[in-house]
Amino acid sequence: MKTKKKFTTSQLTVLGLMSGVLLLMAYTPLGYLNIGPLAISFNVIPVAVSAVVLGPAGGAVAGAIFGLTSFGQCIGIGGTSAMGAVLFGISPVLAFLQRFLPRLLTGICIGYIFRAVRKKANIYVSCAVTGFFSAFLNTVFFMTALVGLFGNTEYIRELIGGQNVLLFCCAFVGINAVCEMAASTMITGAVGTALSRARLIPASQIAVKQSI
């Protein structure tokens, strides 16, 4: 019995387009707004759109591209991340894992989140929720990997400064995470709805009748 899922040319085109947008945003000022050691990243939006159109598979591909471009910034490719450069200096392998895995996992998870929410809500709400979780999970996974992989280093201990780890994470991401979540929620909701009306979202992704 065949279990492989086939995607249409149009849907794969959307994935290719989102991958191109990710690369454009990664290598120009469009993708990041640097504030201190962190940056407000808008690259979570193409990941969310890819997950809406192609499910976990699309989210994984876009998330992987996001992760690779994020790691590239540790070594000055497509801009420079102040924190990434320091982490790379401590351990290139751990820096790669900390930058890559959170984005890959985010893409996979939001693909399933869209499918679950779509069973209960209309297309706009489903896409907006997916956009929110794209930014939210990216932040949660990123900070978890940061503390888990580098929490014992002098660099991170100095940043924490004796604070509770959870309070440190909340304070550290602060307005960055809020801006990412707001932007991703609104834009993914609008773009996903437009793609649905253009019939670019597979039937298997659309579990209930659209109500908008």
Side-chain angles (χ1 to χ4, degrees):
M1 181 176 64
K2 293 183 178 180
T3 58
K4 290 185 178 180
K5 181 178 179 180
K6 294 183 178 180
F7 300 112
T8 68
T9 300
S10 297
Q11 288 147 11
L12 292 177
T13 299
V14 172
L15 178 60
L17 177 61
M18 289 301 103
S19 298
V21 169
L22 269 169
L23 293 174
L24 175 65
M25 295 173 75
Y27 298 128
T28 67
L30 295 174
Y32 295 93
L33 177 60
N34 292 301
I35 301 178
L38 284 180
I40 297 175
S41 173
F42 301 108
N43 286 342
V44 293
I45 297 171
V47 177
V49 173
S50 297
V52 165
V53 175
L54 291 168
V61 172
I65 294 173
F66 181 17
L68 290 173
T69 59
S70 179
F71 175 70
Q73 291 192 328
C74 295
I75 53 178
I77 299 176
T80 300
S81 166
M83 172 181 283
V86 174
L87 299 182
F88 184 86
I90 296 172
S91 172
V93 174
L94 292 182
F96 174 79
L97 295 176
Q98 192 270 331
R99 292 280 163 153
F100 180 78
L101 289 181
R103 279 60 193 254
L104 176 64
L105 291 175
T106 295
I108 295 171
C109 288
I110 60 176
Y112 287 110
I113 287 173
F114 175 78
R115 288 181 178 177
V117 177
R118 189 67 188 99
K119 295 177 181 178
K120 304 292 183 181
N122 64 40
I123 189 66
Y124 177 81
V125 171
S126 302
C127 293
V129 169
T130 302
F132 170 82
F133 276 103
S134 179
F136 176 76
L137 291 179
N138 177 62
T139 299
V140 170
F141 291 156
F142 180 91
M143 292 305 297
T144 299
L146 176 66
V147 174
L149 296 174
F150 292 96
N152 291 326
T153 64
E154 182 179 352
Y155 174 66
I156 298 299
R157 286 202 302 267
E158 288 180 356
L159 288 177
I160 294 176
Q163 301 178 68
N164 174 276
V165 173
L166 182 59
L167 292 178
F168 158 72
C169 292
C170 293
F172 194 57
V173 296
I175 190 65
N176 300 45
V178 174
C179 291
E180 288 179 6
M181 291 174 201
S184 185
T185 297
M186 293 185 293
I187 296 175
T188 304
V191 173
T193 300
L195 292 175
S196 175
R197 289 173 175 169
R199 300 180 183 276
L200 291 176
I201 299 179
S204 60
Q205 293 281 81
I206 302 177
V208 296
K209 183 178 179 180
Q210 294 184 26
S211 58
I212 61 172

